Amino acid sequence: MDSIVVTGGAELRGSIEIAGAKNACLALMPATLLTEEPLTLMNAPRLSDIKTMTLLLQSLGSEVQSLQDGRVIAMSSLGPISTTAEYDIVRKMRASNLVLGPLLAREGHAVVSLPGGCAIGARPMDIHVTALEAMGAEIELKDGYLHAKTQGGLKGARVPLRFASVGATENVLMAATLAKGTTVIENAAREPEIVDLASCLSKMGAQIDGAGASTITIQGVDRLGGATHAVVTDRIELGTYMLAPAICGGEVECLGGRLELVEAFAAKLDEAGISVEETAKGLKVARKNGRVAAVDVRTEPFPGFPTDLQAQMMALLCTADGVSHLEETIFENRFMHAPELLRMGADVDIQGGTATVTGVERLKGAPVMATDLRASVSLILAGLAAEGETVVNRVYHLDRGYEHVEEKLGAVGAKIERVPGV
Ligand code: EPZ
């Protein structure tokens, strides 16, 4: 397993290209199952999770080609399509559950393994199941698999979500495009990745109103055509790289970044004394002066502060001037980065869903362990400002969601290198 070695202290200057959004691409790819015509995605990120989704779709019978060094994904699902998503692929990546809605819509039945828990929580699928049952699906859990079928196809319905689940919204949105009649999703997730999926489905001929708001209305159609769609910019990668100059000083322009993707996050950076400026090419971020100010953060569904930036924000607040409180409301166990930051000299106290972070002058480099995708990158960020050398192990977690992080940070002056595992 590779490691990444960071030597702290360098100020960062230059620009970083932000890639297409992993979490948009992972929802857009299963949409190929909704049509027999070609679906081509541009601006795709080059990540191991995308490779996993590629393998899953190919196992179902879709043709998926990675072109232009992974930036373009050309798909077609002429069929026949298998409707069983096997455990050994689904367990690697929860987003595999996003084939459930499209398979039900296309074939009228699906057998999809439950993803199983992961480092950050149990992550059940009850909201997905209740929603699809409201559309006429019969779903039962057997041997760790969801067995779903419909008599005569899915029907449009009112679908209230008990929580604004991103994945459940995406599964229902895709299923509803081919259902008979009108579907109204209430308390829908409002993330930009939902808007991006709806935009692509509309290009394929779907009738969708309200994506990005809490109520989305979908008028089912008989069939969908193909499309070519550019994946939206990754707001989580954007926020992550905005934190790099915030943590170790300097000024970095995040190319492709747009303020509306990270408004709540940028507001917290401003409160902490970090300047964020919109430029013609993206967002320019610099530390105004002196130490970062302590701030309180509460994660919420979009447009609130994203849970996927909580770990990275904690790394910044470890050296802030004062005491900060981070309340994680989305996942029940998303503080695995805290014990690793403690090893670097941070002062973090976890009580239930709240982390109290008392800023210290400076962290000290140490060997640390990556546990999940966003925790991994928070340790890299902490290493950028720490005294001495930080070795982040098990960086395969990192490669799931960040393209060549050592190249992007190295290009703006970070002392960082990847050490191949033995
Ligand atoms: C998506 O996961 C993202 N993944 C996650 O990003 C992100 O953290 C999450 O949304 C929240 O924004 C992808 O888009 C591929 P949810 P998803 O359904 O859809 C509970 C990353 O780092 N829940 O909104 O799985 C669930 O346990 C990843 O890129 C149920 O209880 O998230 C969690 O506590 C991590 N029952 C909360 O809701 C359900 O049926 C939010 O889950 C579904 C979810």
Side-chain angles (χ1 to χ4, degrees):
M1 288 181 229
D2 292 1
S3 301
I4 285 188
V5 181
V6 187
T7 305
E11 282 211 347
L12 306 183
R13 294 205 179 283
S15 58
I16 294 178
E17 183 81 40
I18 304 301
K22 165 179 85 80
N23 291 347
C25 200
L26 290 174
L28 290 162
M29 291 175 73
T32 179
L33 296 167
L34 296 169
T35 178
E36 294 187 356
E37 293 181 25
L39 175 60
T40 302
L41 300 176
M42 320 295 282
N43 192 40
R46 293 173 289 204
L47 303 167
S48 57
D49 268 10
I50 304 304
K51 292 194 181 80
T52 304
M53 181 59 81
T54 297
L55 289 174
L56 172 62
L57 291 171
Q58 288 171 337
S59 76
L60 297 176
S62 297
E63 194 188 312
V64 183
Q65 283 182 299
S66 173
L67 308 171
Q68 292 180 30
D69 189 25
R71 280 275 176 258
V72 173
I73 300 173
M75 299 176 285
S76 72
S77 303
L78 289 171
I81 291 293
S82 153
T83 57
T84 299
E86 298 291 348
Y87 175 63
D88 67 334
I89 294 185
V90 177
R91 70 178 172 78
K92 288 195 196 97
M93 183 180 67
R94 176 185 172 83
S96 309
N97 64 13
L98 295 174
V99 299
L100 177 59
L103 285 175
L104 266 179
R106 178 191 178 117
E107 302 289 337
H109 55 89
V111 179
V112 176
S113 168
L114 270 180
C118 71
I120 58 179
R123 303 181 80 181
M125 281 190 62
D126 60 296
I127 303 174
H128 299 245
V129 169
T130 306
L132 292 168
E133 284 175 337
M135 298 175 71
E138 294 161 35
I139 302 180
E140 62 162 337
L141 174 62
K142 216 162 58 183
D143 313 325
Y145 282 77
L146 290 176
H147 292 255
K149 62 178 187 298
T150 62
Q151 305 300 339
L154 292 171
K155 296 168 190 63
R158 188 175 78 81
V159 179
L161 303 184
R162 72 170 174 78
F163 175 81
S165 156
V166 172
T169 301
E170 290 164 341
N171 254 329
V172 175
L173 181 57
M174 288 189 277
T177 57
L178 293 176
K180 291 184 186 58
T182 304
T183 299
V184 179
I185 308 174
E186 296 174 352
N187 194 30
R190 298 173 54 194
E191 274 68 5
E193 293 76 37
I194 305 284
V195 175
D196 203 41
L197 175 60
S199 162
C200 178
L201 293 169
S202 302
K203 289 175 190 169
M204 296 165 69
Q207 308 285 322
I208 301 170
D209 282 310
S214 295
T215 300
I216 305 177
T217 303
I218 306 103
Q219 178 61 44
V221 295
D222 294 337
R223 61 183 297 282
L224 291 180
T228 295
H229 178 79
V231 178
V232 68
T233 301
D234 192 322
R235 61 194 172 93
I236 305 304
E237 188 193 33
L238 170 60
T240 301
Y241 287 123
M242 288 169 73
L243 279 167
I247 279 187
C248 58
E251 182 178 89
V252 170
E253 186 173 24
C254 296
L255 305 179
R258 299 200 317 270
L259 196 55
E260 76 258 20
L261 293 172
V262 287
E263 239 163 328
F265 170 73
K268 280 296 169 186
L269 288 191
D270 180 59
E271 201 183 318
I274 305 299
S275 83
V276 177
E277 178 201 344
E278 289 186 279
T279 67
K281 292 189 284 186
L283 295 179
K284 189 176 283 186
V285 183
R287 194 145 97 183
K288 285 174 194 156
N289 43 33
R291 277 178 79 181
V292 161
V295 295
D296 290 342
V297 169
R298 175 185 158 85
T299 64
E300 293 170 332
F302 195 89
F305 189 102
T307 175
D308 292 348
L309 285 171
Q310 178 259 110
Q312 299 91 313
M313 191 69 180
M314 187 184 287
L316 174 72
L317 298 175
C318 283
T319 54
D321 183 8
V323 179
S324 306
H325 301 89
L326 288 119
E327 191 184 355
E328 172 56 62
T329 70
I330 307 293
F331 289 102
E332 63 267 30
N333 183 32
R334 202 170 195 178
F335 289 132
M336 255 87 50
H337 41 290
E340 301 305 312
L341 291 167
L342 289 177
R343 291 174 49 74
M344 298 175 72
D347 180 348
V348 182
D349 177 41
I350 308 287
Q351 296 295 332
T354 299
T356 300
V357 183
T358 304
V360 297
E361 274 295 324
R362 195 166 186 205
L363 297 178
K364 290 186 177 39
V368 289
M369 190 70 73
T371 51
D372 62 271
L373 168 56
R374 307 303 174 181
S376 319
V377 82
S378 82
L379 300 174
I380 300 258
L381 290 173
L384 290 177
E387 189 182 334
E389 193 174 86
T390 298
V391 181
V392 182
N393 296 301
R394 293 191 185 170
V395 289
Y396 60 86
H397 289 291
L398 207 60
D399 297 335
R400 294 189 50 184
Y402 291 91
E403 282 184 0
H404 312 303
V405 64
E406 67 279 6
E407 288 173 19
K408 291 194 173 186
L409 287 172
V412 292
K415 291 188 182 60
I416 182 171
E417 62 170 334
R418 179 181 288 257
V419 176
V422 288

